[in-house]
Structure formats: structure tokens, C-alpha cells
Amino acid sequence: LEDAKIVEHEIMGDPQLGMMRLVFKTEIAKEAHPGQFVQLKVSSGLDPLLRRPISIAGVDTDKNEITLLYRLKGKGTKVLAQAKPGDELNLLGPLGQGFTIPQSGTLYLVAGGIGAFPLLPLAQKALEQGVKVCLFWGGENQRFLESAGMHLWEDLGITIEVSTMDGSMGIQGTVLDLLRNHELTESGQVAVCGPMMMMASVNEFFKETDFEVEASLEERMGCGVGACLGCVCTLQDEQGKLRRGKVCKDGPVFKAKEVVW
Ligand code: FES
């Protein structure tokens, strides 16, 4: 638990879409692993709604900074949006279990909407390992994808394939249509984040292949610290034996085949 200073806080792209970029100077940068999140107290006061789990979307170990990307939605994020550079907010983290970092081959990232946010630090780390990274990203339209940080992905210099519902950017359709349209290598690693339905279909898509798929279930998180039980999910082992898991503690990243979708 530490009070961390805000270095930057800005709107990304179209203000109506409410995409925000928030940078903190914090020691968390030293330990953060891709896929982990922080628990942020958006202001002083006891209201639990004023604590928010937000995934880490960027790490700069030289500057000791982490970047959080979030979309304005509900009371907590509205209060958070008021915070200014120089302000200090209480941070807890890094929390949860993150993604496996591939050491070779190709890493395919599959993102639905703002599910792209937690995949950014994974791409960064994989590139450092000399791994080839390819992003498949589905969103509503061009305006959405550009406001949700397309430029951050372009800066990485990786292969990016997009789909939009209205065809204003990339192919018209879903991210699943994108995957079906592409020749993928024989095997490799896949990381997916987005709405539950979309992740379930991505898991289905790769089922009969040798791809290892990991999914971030961050959409299912509530308090972020094991207190609300709002994040309980059902998991299965290879024999099909079921057990309960907490998204905030045992995840948010799970092996996709272990999740009972
Ligand atoms: Fe509250 Fe996991 S998010 S217990």
C-alpha cells in the first residue's frame, strides 16, 4: 500500500468515449508483471465504490512509472477522472496472477474493445524477449479503436489486424472473423482479453490446436482484494474435476481451457 503521485492524466481521443490514460510514479513498476492489476483508491473516504481494480497497461522501469488505461463508467471512475498530475492516490499492488511470457515463436494477442489494455505490457515484454507479436483487435468502429490507444500499439511496431462492426477500419465483423481469415502458424501462444462471450469463442476456436491460450477475466472483478466474492468463477482440471476460483486472487489470467465458460 502506498500513496503514489500522478505524473500524467489525460483523455485519449474522442472525449465522448471517455478513454483515460493515467500515469503514476511508483515502486510497483519494479515488480509489475504483465496481466497484473492495481487496486486504486480513487479518493479519500470510506465508500467501497471508491476503490477500483484497474489493470496495468504499461510499465517503465527506468522512470519507475506505471500506466493505467481505463474507460469512464460509473461513480468510481468519474471521481478518479478529477485527479490531477501532482495529486497522490493510494495504490495497492501489483495484484493477481499475470500472463506467461513467451520465450520464442509468435505471440498472438486477441482483444475485444478495451480488453486490449492489459495486453500492452505483455506485448512489450514479449518483444524484449525477441518474440514476434501479432495483435487481432475488434472494436465498434475506427473512432473507438483510435481513442482506445491504437497509437500505443502502432508505436510498438508489431503486426496489427483489426475488425470493426461497421467496417470503418479493418474488416467488417468480429475479432473471430479476423482470426478465421488468417493463416496462423502451427503453434504458439495466445493471450485474450475482452467480453466473456468473445473469450469463450476464442477458446473454442483454438480448442483442437496446439496453441496455449491464456485469458484475462478482468471483466469479472469487483473489489479486487478477495473481499466481495463477486469474482468467483468455476474452473476445471484436465480430468474435468470442478473447483471454484477467485478472479482477483487466482487470476485475472487463467489458462483458457481451465475455465468453465
Ligand atoms: Fe472481490 Fe475478488 S473481486 S473477492
Side-chain angles (χ1 to χ4, degrees), residues 137-139 162-165 171-180:
W137 192 10
V162 303
S163 66
T164 48
M165 294 320 286
I171 67 154
Q172 180 165 17
T174 67
V175 77
L176 253 296
D177 297 324
L178 255 189
L179 283 176
R180 287 192 200 103

Side-chain angles (χ1 to χ4, degrees), residues 220-232 246-249:
R220 290 276 308 268
M221 253 185 323
C223 71
V225 287
C228 73
L229 299 184
C231 69
V232 171
K246 278 189 191 170
V247 174
C248 63
K249 282 263 160 76

